[in-house]
Amino acid sequence: MFKVGVITCSDKGFLGEREDLSGKLIIDILERNEYKVESYKMIPDDKEVIKKTMIDMSDKLKVNLILTSGGTGFSKRDVTPEATLEVSDKNANGIAEAIRSYSLSITKRAMLSRAVSAIRGDTLIVNLPGSPKAVEEALDYILDTLFHGLEILTDTRHDCARK
């Protein structure tokens, strides 16, 4: 069972002005798919806070996966992708590209996503959209493949070739 950290980046959510439906949905979907949510944080759209939260989850809690929600749009306060890249060792571009590509089949607005995916040590970090509908669509699309990627990242599986 892979350990996961969930981070919602939202000024309004952090201030209690908006309920975090996306973060709760991520947790629900993960638990239904046998992932163990180790930590959930609702934080403001502040790059340093986002970076510190990701570093803590990765380095201290040793989660295998961090899923973020929010902060990937065009607003001046949207800095989740920048924070993700600043704490990462390697890019894992294909995941964010796959989400965007799939989402474009649903809405043209997906082209406005700046979400990224990357690796810090033994932790995969994936930025998800802020809307619950988009979160559910993205996770439905990538979750089974993420499992295989996490097996490779955590050295619990070695055979990548299809039979």
Side-chain angles (χ1 to χ4, degrees), residues 73-93:
F74 283 14
S75 167
K76 288 180 181 17
R77 296 282 297 162
D78 288 338
V79 294
T80 304
E82 289 76 18
T84 301
L85 293 175
E86 287 184 23
V87 302
S88 298
D89 305 318
K90 297 194 275 188
N91 287 331
N93 297 336

Side-chain angles (χ1 to χ4, degrees), residues 80-151:
T80 304
E82 289 76 18
T84 301
L85 293 175
E86 287 184 23
V87 302
S88 298
D89 305 318
K90 297 194 275 188
N91 287 331
N93 297 336
I95 299 165
E97 291 168 6
I99 293 169
R100 238 182 316 277
S101 176
Y102 176 70
S103 296
L104 278 167
S105 71
I106 300 165
T107 176
K108 293 187 293 186
R109 289 190 180 179
M111 71 176 79
L112 303 177
S113 170
R114 299 181 318 100
V116 299
S117 42
I119 296 169
R120 176 184 177 85
D122 294 328
T123 304
L124 174 62
I125 304 170
V126 178
N127 299 158
L128 295 173
S131 88
K133 179 180 180 297
V135 160
E136 184 167 22
E137 292 164 354
L139 285 177
D140 285 347
Y141 188 68
I142 67 168
L143 209 51
D144 61 337
T145 304
L146 279 189
F147 189 87
H148 177 71
L150 290 169
E151 288 178 316

